[in-house]
Amino acid sequence: MQGITEIRWHGRAGQGTVSAAKILADTAMAAGDFVQAFPEYGPEREGAPLRAYNRIAKRRFSIYCEIEHPGVIVVMDPTLLDTVNVTDGATPETVFLVNSPKCVADLKVAHPQLAPYQVWTVDATNISLGALGKSFPNTPTLGAVAKVTGVIGLDALLACVKGILGKKLSAEVIEKNLSIVRRGFEEVQS
């Protein structure tokens, strides 16, 4: 849709995919944009594939359906490239952001379905493991989404993440999360 950024997220339950879509929407809304964030679940169990969606625009809109032709597709778990048709509904202009340690060229060789598209990669899992000792790819992926889409600014995203995490985590853990958001923004590659 013209003037609306539509994003489809692919992840697995427990990776923070739905939380990432919500944080992205909260950040854009705080900047004055009109937003939607909504999940699509199958059976709710840890590790089950799921989708989440965002719509972000500078003007009011009244669309209340699944996103059929996303402008951006985020793949939080690279194993989904082998099991889910992540390119469903993609147009020639669709941009992919994949959590993977592989460079874009190697990823396209391993997954030829991505060959026709503009693809970005970020090693969100290893960024998270290195800083937190746990796999939470959603936080560095948010930084990468900010860079790839330009739909939110890094400073606004950091402020939103700090506000959300500040309600439940220690200052040290918050600072680690902010650092991995920054790393996702800085380390994403096309």
Side-chain angles (χ1 to χ4, degrees):
M1 309 256 40
Q2 189 169 357
I4 300 174
T5 300
E6 293 185 317
I7 301 171
R8 184 174 71 213
W9 300 73
H10 289 271
R12 294 188 183 278
Q15 291 182 311
T17 306
V18 173
S19 295
K22 183 181 179 323
I23 291 169
L24 179 64
D26 288 348
T27 303
M29 188 168 55
D33 292 338
F34 295 91
V35 302
Q36 289 178 350
F38 53 100
E40 179 185 302
Y41 295 103
E44 292 187 44
R45 67 184 189 286
E46 183 123 352
L50 61 84
R51 292 180 181 193
Y53 303 90
N54 285 109
R55 282 192 179 95
I56 301 170
K58 298 290 182 199
R59 60 176 173 75
R60 190 175 305 277
F61 57 88
S62 58
I63 305 166
Y64 303 102
C65 60
E66 177 182 305
I67 294 171
E68 295 180 3
H69 303 289
V72 179
I73 297 175
V74 180
V75 181
M76 297 278 281
D77 186 321
T79 65
L80 292 173
L81 295 170
D82 297 318
T83 59
V84 173
N85 182 8
V86 299
T87 62
D88 183 40
T91 68
E93 295 78 32
T94 299
V95 174
F96 283 79
L97 171 60
V98 181
N99 169 19
S100 175
K102 293 182 178 180
C103 71
V104 172
D106 290 347
L107 189 69
K108 285 184 172 189
V109 168
H111 302 283
Q113 72 270 32
L114 296 176
Y117 302 103
Q118 179 183 2
V119 177
W120 294 70
T121 60
V122 65
D123 192 1
T125 298
N126 284 321
I127 290 171
S128 173
L129 286 170
L132 301 173
K134 296 179 181 177
S135 178
F136 291 115
N138 61 335
T139 315
T141 300
L142 276 166
V145 167
K147 176 87 169 253
V148 169
T149 66
V151 75
I152 58 171
L154 179 61
D155 291 339
L157 176 59
L158 292 169
C160 188
V161 169
K162 185 175 184 176
I164 290 168
L165 298 181
K167 298 173 186 171
K168 51 188 165 190
L169 300 173
S170 71
E172 178 185 355
V173 174
I174 293 167
E175 201 49 50
K176 286 180 181 180
N177 275 278
L178 295 176
S179 75
I180 64 177
V181 169
R182 282 187 204 93
R183 283 190 59 196
F185 185 89
E186 294 165 359
E187 295 179 24
V188 66
Q189 306 173 37
S190 66

